[in-house]
């Protein structure tokens, strides 16, 4: 998403791995996306896209071309012809802006390096930097990097070696230092996210056994300590995920199942709690992003004609009373209970007596 949250850029591949960038406008009230346009990524096999903090330039990582390209954005948020493309290392996977936007860090998986590039916010130009991006172990296969909201730490997930490595970050110099292993799990890393309040770190491992890992961050040192390993049959190959802006849910793409899974987060402990809620995806669910809804539409006076509640042949998020209570809280006029096996008129009558 652009910093405004109004435009989403997604990268993908066409014939013979030719990269494409698709741009979508987001309705701020209900979150619906409308396609704005599509352009070439100027390379092969793009893996990541990022908009600079000012919202004027889009960086796209073309993994199979070993390059990062910079695209100026129009007033409507559409990418124009790239201003430049810069080769980094072998198989770059991500372009992560530093918190102040002066630098771009690029994990290069196949040569075990992280490139640090200087970024010109006025022109969108990228320049190689003599300073190394991050000290790495020889077995490392760096994939994705995320900064702590304070700007004082960063966390790198690996496909080889330790799953997660934490770093200190100096904003003035833009230097990552003091690497420290943060996980007993080795290899298979896919993505890493810090909770909006900066208290927890989440990482995914997509190779067998697929799992999500939760870490508590020390309030002083910001170093992570593993507190939970979460695995569920509903999640296979969690290639990407995100935490919603309120920090209450984690949404993960289960690539092998071609589905999106929503998980509830305990706000106090940061742990994943409750049962997964699964929605089928049209593709391989390789990318997930969440964005706030600015003005949620009112449900006052509405009637829901299709409310599946538990118990049922499939797991349900709410029972009859739970759905009725939520509908009442929203000011809805009525709900219709549905079930795949039995009639629901008796259950509806009981729910009405309670609610």
């Amino acid at each position: 998403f652009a910093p405004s949250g109004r435009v989403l850029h997604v990268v993908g591949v066409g014939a013979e791995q030719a990269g494409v960038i698709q741009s979508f406008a987001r309705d701020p009230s209900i979150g619906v996306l409308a396609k704005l346009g599509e352009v070439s990524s100027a390379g092969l096999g793009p893996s990541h896209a990022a908009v600079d903090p000012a919202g004027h330039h889009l960086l796209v990582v073309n993994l199979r071309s070993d390059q990062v390209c910079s695209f100026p954005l129009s007033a409507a948020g559409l990418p124009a012809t790239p201003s430049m493309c810069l080769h980094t290392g072998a198989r770059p996977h991500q372009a992560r802006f530093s918190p102040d936007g002066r630098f771009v860090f690029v994990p290069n998986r196949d040569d075990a390096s992280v490139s640090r590039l200087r970024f010109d916010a006025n022109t969108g130009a990228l320049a190689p930097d003599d300073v190394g991006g991050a000290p790495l172990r020889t077995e490392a296969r760096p994939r994705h990097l995320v900064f702590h909201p304070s700007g004082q730490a960063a966390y790198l997930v690996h496909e080889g070696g330790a799953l997660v490595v934490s770093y200190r970050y100096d904003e003035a110099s833009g230097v990552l230092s003091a690497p420290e292993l943060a996980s007993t799990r080795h290899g298979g890393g896919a993505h890493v996210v810090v909770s909006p309040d900066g208290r927890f770190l989440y990482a995914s491992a997509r190779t067998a056994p697929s799992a999500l890992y939760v870490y508590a961050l020390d309030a002083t040192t910001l170093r992570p300590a593993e507190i939970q390993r979460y695995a569920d049959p509903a999640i296979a190959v969690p290639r990407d995920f995100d935490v919603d802006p309120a920090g209450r849910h984690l949404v993960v793409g289960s690539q092998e199942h071609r589905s999106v899974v929503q998980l509830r987060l305990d706000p106090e402990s940061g742990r994943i709690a409750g049962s997964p809620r699964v929605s089928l995806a049209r593709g391989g669910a390789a990318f997930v992003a969440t964005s706030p809804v600015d003005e949620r539409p009112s449900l006052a006076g509405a009637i829901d004609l299709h409310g599946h509640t538990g118990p049922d042949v499939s797991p349900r998020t709410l029972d009859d009373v739970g759905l009725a209570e939520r509908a009442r809280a929203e000011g809805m006029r009525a709900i219709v209970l549905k079930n795949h096996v039995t009639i629901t008129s008796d259950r509806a009558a009981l729910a009405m007596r309670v609610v």
Side-chain angles (χ1 to χ4, degrees):
F1 278 101
S4 67
R6 301 296 180 94
V7 179
L8 172 69
H9 303 284
V10 180
V11 293
V13 295
E16 298 182 352
Q17 293 293 311
V20 295
I21 307 168
Q22 294 183 328
S23 301
F24 299 85
R26 182 185 71 90
D27 187 308
S29 62
I30 57 176
V32 173
L33 298 175
K35 189 172 181 179
L36 294 174
E38 180 176 315
V39 299
S40 168
S41 73
L44 302 178
S47 60
H48 187 256
V51 180
D52 75 295
H56 299 318
H57 303 276
L58 174 71
L59 300 186
V60 172
V61 177
N62 288 307
L63 181 145
R64 294 187 179 275
S65 299
D66 296 338
Q67 64 181 10
V68 179
C69 295
S70 179
F71 295 77
L73 294 174
S74 69
L78 288 170
T81 302
S83 57
M84 68 171 300
C85 292
L86 183 69
H87 285 265
T88 57
R91 294 298 186 260
H93 268 65
Q94 182 196 43
R96 173 68 71 180
F97 281 96
S98 62
D100 61 9
R102 293 187 301 135
F103 302 101
V104 176
F105 291 83
V106 182
N108 304 300
R109 187 194 64 189
D110 286 5
D111 62 7
S113 69
V114 175
S115 301
R116 193 184 81 167
L117 311 175
R118 292 188 178 274
F119 177 73
D120 187 321
N122 294 318
T123 65
L126 297 166
D129 200 322
D130 292 336
V131 177
L136 299 175
R137 297 163 68 95
T138 55
E139 74 275 18
R141 288 168 63 83
R143 182 179 175 89
H144 282 183
L145 176 78
V146 67
F147 284 94
H148 189 270
S150 69
Q152 299 177 4
Y155 310 93
L156 183 63
V157 69
H158 292 263
E159 291 189 29
L163 177 66
V164 176
V165 177
S166 68
Y167 294 87
R168 293 195 182 101
Y169 182 66
D170 183 80
E171 282 195 281
S173 63
V175 171
L176 292 167
S177 64
E180 186 173 294
L181 304 185
S183 177
T184 56
R185 164 77 187 238
H186 280 251
H191 193 47
V192 61
V193 171
V194 179
S195 62
D197 62 8
R199 298 170 55 209
F200 306 103
L201 180 75
Y202 300 89
S204 66
R206 61 177 178 160
T207 57
S210 295
L212 298 168
Y213 292 82
V214 183
Y215 304 83
L217 298 178
D218 186 275
T220 302
T221 65
L222 302 180
R223 296 294 191 180
E226 186 178 319
I227 59 173
Q228 184 185 20
R229 175 188 177 276
Y230 180 89
D232 188 279
I235 301 174
V237 190
R239 185 187 184 97
D240 198 41
F241 67 92
D242 199 10
V243 174
D244 79 287
R248 297 180 179 179
H249 296 90
L250 187 150
V251 184
V252 57
S254 179
Q255 187 177 20
E256 186 171 294
H257 293 332
R258 303 172 72 88
S259 63
V260 176
V261 181
Q262 179 180 324
L263 301 166
R264 184 172 63 84
L265 298 177
D266 184 289
E268 296 301 321
S269 69
R271 295 173 181 267
I272 298 169
S275 301
R277 184 175 181 179
V278 181
S279 301
L280 294 180
R282 293 181 62 184
F287 165 77
V288 176
T290 61
S291 179
V293 175
D294 302 338
E295 298 177 3
R296 189 163 64 88
S298 173
L299 296 179
I303 300 176
D304 186 345
L305 298 177
H306 202 106
H308 277 283
T309 54
D312 201 348
V313 292
S314 300
R316 301 296 177 187
T317 303
L318 298 171
D319 59 19
D320 304 336
V321 173
L323 181 60
E325 289 177 335
R326 181 168 295 185
R328 183 180 64 177
E330 294 287 348
M332 296 177 67
R333 182 180 176 187
I335 57 174
V336 177
L337 301 181
K338 304 282 288 186
N339 190 280
H340 285 112
V341 179
T342 67
I343 61 172
T344 57
S345 57
D346 53 344
R347 291 169 51 173
L350 288 173
M352 289 176 64
R353 296 183 66 177
V354 174
V355 178

